[in-house]
Amino acid sequence: MKTLILLLLLPLFLFSKEFRVASYNVENLFDLQKSGSEYTEYIPNTGYGWNKKAFTIKVDNIARVICDLKLEIIGLQEIESDEALEALQAGVKRCGWPMAYRAIADEKATTVKTALLSKYPILQKREIDPDGTLSTRNILEVLLDVDGKRVRIFVNHWKSRSGAESRRIVSAKALMRRLMKLSKDADYILLGDFNSDWNEWRTIKRSPRLNDTDGITGINHILKTIKNDKPVSKYDIGWPYHYDLWLELPPQRRWSHNFYGLKSALDHMILPAGMFDTKGINYKDRSFKVFKPNYLFTEKGAVFRWQIAKKRHGKHLNAGYSDHLPIYAHFTTEPFVFLKKRKKAETMERSGDIAPRTVHIADLYTMPLGWTNAVIPDAAVIYKKGGVAILKEPGGRAILVYKDTRRLKKGHRCKVAVRKLYDYRGLREVTKLDLLKDFGKTDVEPLLLDDFDDLNRPDYVNEVVREISGTYKRGYLYYGNGKKIKLYYRKRKARPKSGENVTLKRVRVALYRNRPELVVD
């Protein structure tokens, strides 16, 4: 009987196909034609240096990433035109990984567009226009033939986080209206830069600037990646809900974008119930990953984005890749099969459900926001004023603790458990903390920052500067050899006059709207 079953299944596996799909925001791949809609620094053949040499290097760099991924389908964001896409397609062919088919959402004259390269034939291309305005990019929908089976790819690039959530909900609703017209077991992949985190429904409530929708989010509520205020699980997914593949990874690894130390999961692959059945195309369980070769990072560990000079009118430096990392997953024409039992990482919702683990303060800057259970075994309280305290590890980084500081004593060493992480306008901070042990007084002077060059460096955020002198001019402190940093006085009356020389002691380096500043409490 077992032999008979194997013989019946043998043709299925003999002709099965496994393939890899990726999503990559390539950060402004512009062509060399002047259309009038380019960003200023990408107008070709001007003093900014966007010319044939820069374009060729950018194309070859992105092509290298695609070739090294060795994939069959890739959804792309921030492609200016079909000319730029065609050049990338040629670049991929040059490095030995030809992808014969391409499509771009170019029915609307937005500055950058969504696009796709594929080894499989494109049967149909259409665009979803969320609202008919140039402020929202069209969603690209492509129907592909994978060895006789069909799969739809929806390439998204929602409004950036410079806009409130209502702007992203416009795209989410337009996409969901289209999905509701498909069959309940349809095979499709939603991918791209959604400019939303996997747990956006939680974090948005703490951001008045983003939250103009009373906590409703496009990625979680409209696309239905949550149910009963919890992430949808692949173990019991049903129509019309969706599963976000970020849940395949541990919380601390859920990121593909790093902005001044703020790591987030803006890029997504989101799947319907039809990708977890026995028919058509299916997800290859636990295959989702972030592509992280060494060359996509600088020596300091930052994402090696396309480099533009910071001074004056920034010129292209002809190096780098993108400010995003690619994400990818495997798919198959075989039935879906669970490879492993359910992992705790997929159901961790509060700190009490997460096993405690010992970390360094530096790790808190890369961990996901929300509930956690991270133990810092030895840190010193180097600053405390009002409801604000700063903890620092000897030889390590510092972190701000907000409000939950009652049991912390300035100048004491301690062991603490971090229960909740939050970002206030770009500033990473701890909002819930338990004091596990107070080791008593210690000398914190050696932990204060006194050997620094440029205080605008991301790794100086939340440090306490022992002493700094300079000149105050129109909200900035000018110090050192031509350096400056924003200066914020909590008491307006304490602000000096413009042009006045000042010396500040025990001031902390903060971040406001992703701009470093010195705070004088």
Side-chain angles (χ1 to χ4, degrees):
M1 184 64 180
K2 290 183 179 179
T3 303
L4 178 60
I5 293 174
L6 288 173
L7 289 174
L8 290 172
L9 291 175
L10 187 59
L12 175 65
F13 292 102
L14 282 176
F15 297 103
S16 64
K17 184 78 173 180
E18 184 173 326
F19 57 98
R20 186 181 287 194
V21 180
S23 178
Y24 193 18
N25 182 324
V26 299
E27 190 181 20
N28 299 328
L29 182 56
F30 282 79
D31 60 31
L32 292 175
Q33 306 299 317
K34 186 176 180 180
S35 64
S37 62
E38 300 94 345
Y39 301 139
T40 303
E41 64 271 26
Y42 284 94
I43 298 174
N45 303 313
T46 66
Y48 289 96
W50 185 247
N51 50 33
K52 184 176 180 180
K53 180 180 179 180
F55 175 71
T56 301
I57 293 172
K58 173 79 172 185
V59 165
D60 287 347
N61 285 3
I62 299 302
R64 176 189 180 184
V65 176
I66 296 174
C67 289
D68 288 352
L69 273 165
K70 293 186 171 19
L71 45 83
E72 283 69 38
I73 303 165
I74 183 167
L76 301 159
Q77 301 88 52
E78 298 199 11
I79 305 288
E80 185 195 12
S81 64
D82 188 55
E83 288 78 12
L85 181 62
E86 185 179 23
L88 180 59
Q89 186 182 33
V92 172
K93 184 177 181 180
R94 283 196 302 274
C95 65
W97 194 259
M99 304 182 80
Y101 305 95
R102 73 176 189 269
I104 186 168
D106 57 1
E107 293 177 2
K108 184 192 290 186
T110 50
T111 306
V112 289
K113 303 168 181 68
T114 53
L116 178 137
L117 292 176
S118 172
K119 283 181 172 285
Y120 298 124
I122 295 175
L123 301 178
Q124 183 185 67
K125 171 218 162 180
R126 63 185 294 169
E127 298 181 30
I128 301 171
D129 186 347
D131 62 1
T133 71
L134 290 178
S135 62
T136 58
R137 291 169 282 261
N138 280 6
I139 299 168
L140 175 66
E141 176 187 344
V142 177
L143 179 63
L144 298 174
D145 182 334
V146 180
D147 284 6
K149 296 188 177 183
R150 298 184 175 189
V151 63
R152 294 180 189 272
I153 311 292
F154 293 87
V155 188
N156 295 262
H157 189 188
W158 292 3
K159 174 64 181 176
S160 75
R161 297 175 77 83
S162 63
E165 184 62 18
S166 58
R167 303 291 296 278
R168 286 173 287 282
I169 280 184
V170 168
S171 296
K173 286 183 175 179
L175 176 58
M176 199 62 176
R177 284 194 296 270
R178 171 60 184 150
L179 299 179
M180 291 300 97
K181 295 178 181 179
L182 304 178
S183 64
K184 293 183 178 181
D185 59 352
D187 294 328
Y188 58 81
I189 304 169
L190 311 180
L191 56 77
D193 181 357
F194 291 77
N195 274 303
S196 309
D197 221 324
W198 66 274
N199 60 345
E200 192 74 19
W201 90 97
R202 286 189 184 139
T203 60
I204 195 173
K205 295 175 183 177
R206 301 189 290 268
S207 176
R209 182 181 65 83
L210 297 177
N211 187 12
D212 65 341
T213 56
D214 196 25
I216 301 299
T217 68
I219 194 166
N220 301 131
H221 296 92
I222 307 303
L223 294 189
K224 297 185 180 298
T225 60
I226 61 171
K227 185 177 182 180
N228 298 326
D229 207 38
K230 291 184 178 180
V232 170
S233 168
K234 64 185 175 185
Y235 296 94
D236 55 7
I237 187 173
W239 185 88
Y241 289 92
H242 292 97
Y243 177 69
D244 193 328
L245 290 185
W246 280 115
L247 298 179
E248 302 278 276
L249 301 181
Q252 66 272 18
R253 290 170 53 196
R254 294 175 191 169
W255 68 274
S256 59
H257 182 262
N258 187 355
F259 187 72
Y260 283 99
L262 173 59
K263 295 183 177 180
S264 53
L266 304 183
D267 308 284
H268 295 262
M269 281 193 184
I270 299 172
L271 305 180
M275 301 298 273
F276 300 91
D277 58 22
T278 59
K279 302 173 295 186
I281 306 292
N282 289 291
Y283 172 57
K284 189 79 172 179
D285 196 29
R286 309 209 69 82
S287 66
F288 176 77
K289 295 205 173 36
V290 182
F291 189 54
K292 294 181 178 180
N294 289 336
Y295 64 79
L296 287 184
F297 296 87
T298 66
E299 291 181 357
K300 293 183 178 180
V303 176
F304 191 18
R305 67 183 303 179
W306 183 251
Q307 299 294 293
I308 296 179
K310 295 180 180 179
K311 293 184 178 180
R312 294 183 176 269
H313 301 296
K315 187 174 182 178
H316 293 273
L317 301 180
N318 298 345
Y321 297 82
S322 170
D323 56 345
H324 290 247
L325 296 173
I327 58 174
Y328 67 95
H330 290 249
F331 295 83
T332 179
T333 56
E334 296 178 11
F336 174 76
V337 177
F338 286 111
L339 296 185
K340 297 179 181 179
K341 293 182 178 180
R342 186 186 314 218
K343 285 194 171 183
K344 288 184 178 180
E346 297 177 2
T347 56
M348 291 175 181
E349 293 304 315
R350 289 194 172 257
S351 58
D353 301 326
I354 305 174
R357 63 190 185 99
T358 301
V359 301
H360 294 290
I361 286 179
D363 297 324
L364 301 179
Y365 288 87
T366 62
M367 291 169 59
L369 301 177
W371 296 97
T372 187
N373 196 357
V375 175
I376 311 294
D378 190 0
V381 184
I382 63 172
Y383 182 96
K384 186 177 181 182
K385 203 156 194 177
V388 172
I390 292 179
L391 293 170
K392 185 172 181 179
E393 278 185 294
R397 288 198 65 177
I399 190 76
L400 183 141
V401 183
Y402 181 65
K403 286 191 175 181
D404 199 7
T405 61
R406 181 176 56 85
R407 297 183 63 198
L408 297 178
K409 295 180 180 179
K410 184 179 177 180
H412 280 227
R413 283 178 51 234
C414 56
K415 178 181 181 181
V416 299
V418 175
R419 304 301 190 190
K420 198 172 185 182
L421 291 170
Y422 178 59
D423 273 329
Y424 177 72
R425 301 197 173 186
L427 180 68
R428 180 60 59 102
E429 58 189 35
V430 175
T431 55
K432 285 192 179 298
L433 174 141
D434 286 337
L435 178 63
L436 302 180
K437 188 171 183 179
D438 189 323
F439 299 114
K441 290 184 177 181
T442 186
D443 182 11
V444 299
E445 285 297 307
L447 301 181
L448 302 183
L449 188 63
D450 63 357
D451 184 16
F452 53 84
D453 44 14
D454 187 354
L455 288 175
N456 289 282
R457 276 175 40 181
D459 55 324
Y460 284 157
V461 171
N462 284 326
E463 291 283 352
V464 176
V465 179
R466 178 182 287 131
E467 183 174 315
I468 184 170
S469 298
T471 304
Y472 178 78
K473 292 182 182 179
R474 295 184 295 276
Y476 284 86
L477 178 70
Y478 290 78
Y479 65 97
N481 187 19
K483 301 290 175 55
K484 71 173 184 177
I485 187 170
K486 187 73 176 174
L487 194 55
Y488 174 68
Y489 283 84
R490 288 195 172 275
K491 297 179 180 179
R492 295 174 62 89
K493 292 182 180 180
R495 287 189 302 185
K497 295 179 181 180
S498 186
E500 184 177 338
N501 293 329
V502 296
T503 296
L504 304 172
K505 296 182 179 181
R506 274 69 172 176
V507 289
R508 57 188 177 93
V509 184
L511 203 64
Y512 183 74
R513 293 182 176 175
N514 297 307
R515 181 176 62 179
E517 64 180 17
L518 285 180
V519 177
V520 183
D521 285 313

